[in-house]
Amino acid sequence: MAVWDDVVGQDRVTAQLAAAARDADALVTAEHAGERPRPGEQPEPQTSADRGSASQMTHAWLFTGPPGSGRSTAARAFAAALQCVSPDRALGGAPGCGFCDGCHTSLVGTHADVEIVRTDLLSIGVKETRDLVRRSSLSPAGGRWQVIVLEDADRLTEGAGNVLLKAVEEPAPRTVWLLCAPSVEDVLPTIRSRCRHLSLRTPPVAAVADVLVRRDGIEPEAADRAARATQGHIGRARRLATDERARARRAAVLKLPLRTDDIGGCLKAAQELIDAAGEDAKQVAEDVDTKETEELRAALGAAAGTGGRMPRGTAGAMKELQDKQKRRSTRTQRDSLDLALVDLTGFYRDVLALQMGASVPLANDEVRDSIHRIATSSTPERTLRRIEAVIACREALDRNVAPLLAVEAMAVALRAG
């Protein structure tokens, strides 16, 4: 299975990446053979179809696309293709076989020359970025490429972005930066101007269902239902198809539009949404925080024989970990709320489709009765205002408005229509 098989519904992007990987492989092969090109010189493409700047290898790439489009999957696949050591390449085979040691270790995250960076915090700071820049200056241990995959480039602070800019402007000879963000506007103009831009689209529902069946072994009917409910969001579709709790949370969210008949119902529904998001954050804390704390205590020398007391001078390290865990809990709660709001937007999208007589399948067919009830008791104008209220709530959460206040305001706006 080639590394590109998991990049769903992005044929144009994978063609560009495959061509760049061939050029990169030709460059490495030429250097290993002693045919080292002059600084800044690009290798000749292997076929006439590959000629042109779009197929050339470059040192910095920016993958953008809506949530669920698979931008980080595409970046990882490209990283694996750059590290491919399949012997078939000498016989004309394309890099990115998916089976060799270079491909496999890159995809699972254990390759010595592939650094995959993701954050469960609200932002990526200067300190973390400086560590990445130092890493990028090292020569690749395997002799091919030093690849840095930054999955949350949109979360770089302004200071961190300025630190990264220098590394992108003057990269080490064998370093490749792969940045992922929802849109080009989420990245500093000075950085994006130095990257080759690849724009991914939301994959078709059928393609997402197919990959769930093929890769995750999910029953076709369940895969189709999950792909349709998430409108092509690969990660959410997989979670919905495999996690009973996620399905229960979504079912509860889809009942909210029927619970806004009075102010009391609005406020109660808002509180339940916040409580559910808090429960998600609490579960993450139970799963991760305790383990992290115990590991740090052991590393700092808190022996069991001393009653668990911490050595002197270690309080700062424990405080730093607690602050990190608090920021992660905040992001987990916000992400959970955002998923609920996305589901709510999908509900009103289906309502609007019925009101306008659109010949499109419903994303939430399992609650068709509720959708029909709302559609017949309101107008398209009111439905659009309700969608705008959900979008306004998401924007308020991005601006750090108190979650309960933002959700209560949305629920009241849904009632007013």
Side-chain angles (χ1 to χ4, degrees):
M1 182 178 72
V3 297
W4 315 111
D5 288 353
D6 287 343
V7 186
V8 182
Q10 313 291 345
D11 294 343
R12 179 182 56 82
V13 169
T14 54
Q16 292 184 54
L17 293 176
R22 288 196 297 270
D23 289 349
D25 185 62
L27 175 61
V28 172
T29 301
E31 290 195 5
H32 286 177
E35 303 171 8
R36 187 178 297 273
R38 292 185 298 274
E41 183 180 17
Q42 292 282 357
E44 279 294 312
Q46 293 184 343
T47 67
S48 59
D50 293 332
R51 297 183 184 275
S53 60
S55 67
Q56 301 285 324
M57 180 60 187
T58 189
H59 70 283
W61 299 76
L62 176 58
F63 297 78
T64 65
S69 58
R71 52 184 183 261
S72 60
T73 301
R76 289 188 183 206
F78 186 38
L82 293 177
Q83 305 294 3
C84 183
V85 292
S86 169
D88 292 341
R89 294 175 298 115
L91 303 175
C97 65
F99 296 102
C100 70
D101 183 68
C103 287
H104 177 71
T105 54
S106 297
L107 291 175
V108 300
T110 59
H111 196 289
D113 295 326
V114 178
E115 180 77 7
I116 298 175
V117 183
R118 69 178 72 86
T119 182
D120 49 11
L121 305 178
L122 296 174
S123 63
I124 300 174
V126 172
K127 180 179 180 295
E128 300 94 323
T129 308
R130 283 177 177 158
D131 291 340
L132 283 180
V133 170
R134 281 193 290 269
R135 165 73 184 262
S136 72
S137 65
L138 300 176
S139 298
R144 296 187 66 80
W145 301 94
Q146 182 77 252
V147 185
I148 312 292
V149 181
L150 186 54
E151 293 189 357
D152 300 296
D154 55 307
R155 295 186 181 271
L156 288 166
T157 63
E158 184 176 355
N162 290 330
V163 171
L164 177 63
L165 175 61
K166 185 68 174 178
V168 174
E169 280 182 324
E170 301 175 5
R174 287 289 190 84
T175 295
V176 182
W177 289 91
L178 307 181
L179 311 181
C180 304
S183 69
V184 292
E185 287 76 17
D186 293 314
V187 180
L188 286 178
T190 48
I191 292 180
R192 67 182 186 238
S193 65
R194 290 161 175 78
C195 298
R196 180 163 300 160
H197 179 211
L198 292 176
S199 179
L200 284 73
R201 63 177 184 137
T202 298
V205 169
V208 174
D210 176 70
V211 79
L212 291 180
V213 172
R214 172 171 50 84
R215 185 175 60 185
D216 300 299
I218 297 168
E219 291 295 325
E221 183 178 347
D224 181 71
R225 186 165 54 249
R228 188 175 64 252
T230 57
Q231 291 296 285
H233 191 301
I234 302 172
R236 290 185 60 216
R238 181 178 297 108
R239 182 184 177 193
L240 198 61
T242 58
D243 188 346
E244 178 62 35
R245 192 181 59 181
R247 292 193 290 271
R249 290 281 168 82
R250 180 172 178 275
V253 170
L254 296 181
K255 293 177 182 178
L256 188 146
L258 299 177
R259 302 176 58 194
T260 58
D261 292 336
D262 55 66
I263 294 297
C266 293
L267 300 181
K268 183 177 180 181
Q271 185 64 62
E272 289 178 0
L273 269 185
I274 296 297
D275 290 344
E279 190 63 31
D280 281 345
K282 181 180 178 181
Q283 181 177 19
V284 170
E286 291 176 350
D287 294 342
V288 179
D289 290 5
T290 302
K291 181 180 178 182
E292 284 182 343
T293 301
E294 291 304 317
E295 288 177 349
L296 181 59
R297 287 175 61 86
L300 295 175
T306 61
R309 294 180 60 184
M310 298 293 298
R312 290 185 178 182
T314 60
M318 292 299 299
K319 180 64 165 58
E320 183 178 353
L321 176 61
Q322 290 167 0
D323 290 343
K324 174 185 174 182
Q325 291 172 344
K326 184 177 180 180
R327 293 195 301 271
R328 180 169 59 208
S329 177
T330 299
R331 178 179 171 183
T332 301
Q333 184 179 29
R334 289 186 183 179
D335 287 350
S336 180
L337 269 178
D338 193 64
L339 288 179
L341 297 177
V342 169
D343 287 333
L344 201 55
T345 305
F347 179 94
Y348 285 114
R349 170 260 190 197
D350 287 346
V351 171
L352 188 61
L354 282 185
Q355 291 173 330
M356 302 300 293
S359 57
V360 295
L362 297 182
N364 304 285
D365 192 61
E366 68 273 22
V367 291
R368 177 181 288 270
D369 290 344
S370 299
I371 293 170
H372 187 268
R373 176 179 167 184
I374 298 293
T376 55
S377 63
S378 65
T379 64
E381 291 78 12
R382 293 184 67 187
T383 302
L384 285 173
R385 286 195 293 269
R386 285 165 171 159
I387 292 175
E388 290 171 354
V390 179
I391 295 173
C393 182
R394 296 182 70 189
E395 293 173 347
L397 292 172
D398 284 340
R399 297 193 303 269
N400 293 324
V401 173
L404 181 58
L405 183 62
V407 177
E408 284 179 345
M410 178 199 70
V412 172
L414 294 179
R415 176 178 179 270

